[in-house]
Amino acid sequence: MDKLYTGRFRLGLSTDTNDVTGQVIDENSGPWPTEDEVRIRLKAREGESEQIPPAFSAVKIGGRKAYQAARAGEQLELKARKVVAHRLEILSYQAPEVEFLAEVSSGYYIRSLIRDLGEELGLGASMTALRREKVGDWSLEQAYTLENLRAWQPEDWAGITLTPAQALPHWPSVTLEFKAEAAFRQGQTVAASEFLRFGQYKVLNAQGRLIGLAETSLNDQRAGNISTRLIGENSSLGGQSPRRPFLRPLRVFNFGFETEQPDGKE
């Protein structure tokens, strides 16, 4: 999911963690670039790019997290990864402090952005503050504080809390009837009850409860059946009727409730 951040960084400061919590490697006292120069260089980093994660990060190399090696004084070679910056803006500039806004893809490291920008300016730079404003469809405007939670009465929760299905608005949904639901809950690939496009779906039962996540599949590997065609973005049916695809479980949820029997069935 895409993320929206606001934050601040300091020009002329380089640390081993690329933020102010790390050990200082180098300090520079200027002269400082103009706001327009920083803005132009920042905007040039919008779009798709190859980004090397910070040494102090949770990226795994050979099953080991990079920050564990960094803390042990080891140097691991971190490979560049494709990331996307949708929007990069300066909110205020009081040299050497820069406040910014960044709307980026999943996997994007803001510390790497600041590190690389500082190197490009020939001054170094480190992050001093970061606030995640939004993740996917969820923003801070929808959040509650611990003080809010402590003050709520039991009756307050019903009108505020969301169901698991509502908590995944960015996932399209598909509904399974009783027999398919029971099989899906046991981790089996099942036939969809409707025509679907290629992709991943949240799976609901007949009562609208979230029972899992799945992706469309051309075949049921367990049964050896093949669905000859799914509806794709650029598919041409060639006069043939599309067949319902199979749903392969990615994750099955139970949430502590049992499968409900349809009326008239034991």
Side-chain angles (χ1 to χ4, degrees):
M1 290 186 288
D2 290 341
K3 299 177 177 65
L4 178 67
Y5 295 96
T6 55
R8 186 171 60 251
F9 62 88
R10 183 179 305 157
L11 295 172
L13 176 66
S14 299
T15 72
D16 58 353
T17 60
N18 308 128
D19 61 22
V20 291
T21 67
Q23 295 185 354
V24 175
I25 298 173
D26 189 31
E27 289 188 271
N28 196 311
S29 58
W32 308 119
T34 65
E35 181 176 346
D36 282 343
E37 184 178 358
V38 177
R39 178 178 289 106
I40 290 171
R41 292 180 183 271
L42 187 64
K43 294 293 285 184
R45 294 182 174 275
E46 289 183 341
E48 186 177 288
S49 64
E50 296 277 335
Q51 185 187 70
I52 298 176
F56 285 82
S57 64
V59 173
K60 287 187 176 181
I61 301 177
R64 191 181 184 195
K65 293 181 179 178
Y67 71 80
Q68 294 173 327
R71 287 174 180 171
E74 302 174 22
Q75 291 189 352
L76 297 180
E77 184 178 351
L78 296 172
K79 295 183 179 180
R81 307 186 303 178
K82 283 187 178 181
V83 293
V84 179
H86 302 292
R87 182 163 53 123
L88 299 172
E89 298 179 0
I90 291 180
L91 300 179
S92 71
Y93 182 58
Q94 297 284 333
E97 300 288 335
V98 184
E99 291 188 7
F100 67 94
L101 176 147
E103 185 178 0
V104 297
S105 65
S106 179
Y108 195 104
Y109 278 93
I110 301 297
R111 285 179 294 143
S112 292
L113 166 69
I114 294 168
R115 174 201 64 203
D116 296 343
L117 180 63
E119 290 177 357
E120 184 180 347
L121 290 167
L123 295 166
S126 292
M127 185 174 73
T128 57
L130 188 68
R131 176 185 171 102
R132 189 160 57 190
E133 304 284 349
K134 189 175 181 182
V135 180
D137 293 312
W138 302 106
S139 68
L140 283 181
E141 284 75 16
Q142 300 165 283
Y144 295 94
T145 65
L146 289 176
E147 288 71 23
N148 294 143
L149 302 185
R150 294 189 185 102
W152 284 352
Q153 299 301 313
E155 58 270 18
D156 295 328
W157 290 82
I160 296 174
T161 53
L162 303 175
T163 67
Q166 291 172 327
L168 296 171
H170 54 290
W171 283 68
S173 65
V174 59
T175 300
L176 297 181
E177 299 302 325
F178 173 69
K179 288 185 178 181
E181 174 194 349
F184 182 87
R185 286 194 173 198
Q186 296 180 26
Q188 298 178 20
T189 298
V190 299
S193 59
E194 54 192 276
F195 302 122
L196 302 173
R197 294 186 181 276
F198 286 105
Q200 297 179 335
Y201 291 81
K202 58 184 176 187
V203 183
L204 311 178
N205 65 7
Q207 291 74 40
R209 289 174 167 169
L210 179 69
I211 61 172
L213 305 176
E215 65 180 1
T216 50
S217 174
L218 287 172
N219 68 297
D220 176 357
Q221 296 177 350
R222 177 183 58 83
N225 296 325
I226 295 179
S227 178
T228 58
R229 196 174 294 275
L230 293 178
I231 303 177
E233 292 295 334
N234 299 310
S235 66
S236 174
L237 298 178
Q240 300 181 33
S241 297
R243 297 189 179 183
R244 295 181 179 89
F246 293 98
L247 291 168
R248 185 176 68 84
L250 297 174
R251 188 71 61 87
V252 176
F253 305 128
N254 287 309
F255 296 119
F257 59 81
E258 297 181 355
T259 303
E260 298 181 20
Q261 299 280 353
D263 292 342
K265 293 194 177 183
E266 297 295 331

